[in-house]
Amino acid sequence: MANFQLELVSPEKLLLSREVEMAIIPAAEGEMGVLAGHAPMIVALRGGTIRVRENGAETERLFVAGGFAEITPTRVTVLADEATPVAALSRAEADRRVAEAEAAYQAAAMDTPEKRDAAMARLLAMRAMRDAAQAN
């Protein structure tokens, strides 16, 4: 099976850059598997886990809090708002961030629809982080 270049970039650093067999990304519309030769596209990401497959096995799991992925037949570049290897996630930290996001969502109840939507997206991302930390 052919490989493609996967790059994962967060505001802090380049987290991953190597050839992989497959990447499963948390696209806004749902989980999306990407193989070499994929049609070009740009997709929005929701909070969730990117799963990397090499030599027929899952080799890495990285939590992203949202962002975008640019897909070409030979490369996938993920621009993540925030990214952390799942193994490094802390359940206590994830619980704290869910509580913060819930409070921010409650505070945005009387705000503009855009701010409410952004607060809800953040809350869902933090819940996905907690789920990934618990599955760790």
Side-chain angles (χ1 to χ4, degrees), residues 47-135:
T49 301
I50 294 176
R51 298 188 320 269
V52 178
R53 294 186 61 85
E54 298 170 278
N55 300 317
E58 187 172 284
T59 57
E60 197 149 6
R61 294 172 44 227
L62 300 131
F63 171 79
V64 293
F68 292 89
E70 179 185 16
I71 300 165
T72 71
T74 59
R75 175 184 305 274
V76 173
T77 302
V78 175
L79 304 171
D81 297 339
E82 174 185 337
T84 309
V86 169
L89 292 177
S90 152
R91 291 180 190 161
E93 174 68 7
D95 287 340
R96 184 188 67 73
R97 293 184 66 186
V98 167
E100 281 179 1
E102 286 172 343
Y105 180 69
Q106 294 301 321
M110 302 309 287
D111 220 323
T112 64
E114 294 81 14
K115 287 188 179 176
R116 283 195 312 270
D117 288 349
M120 175 53 78
R122 182 74 181 162
L123 175 57
L124 293 174
M126 293 303 98
R127 286 179 178 166
M129 174 190 268
R130 182 177 59 195
D131 292 347
Q134 288 173 344

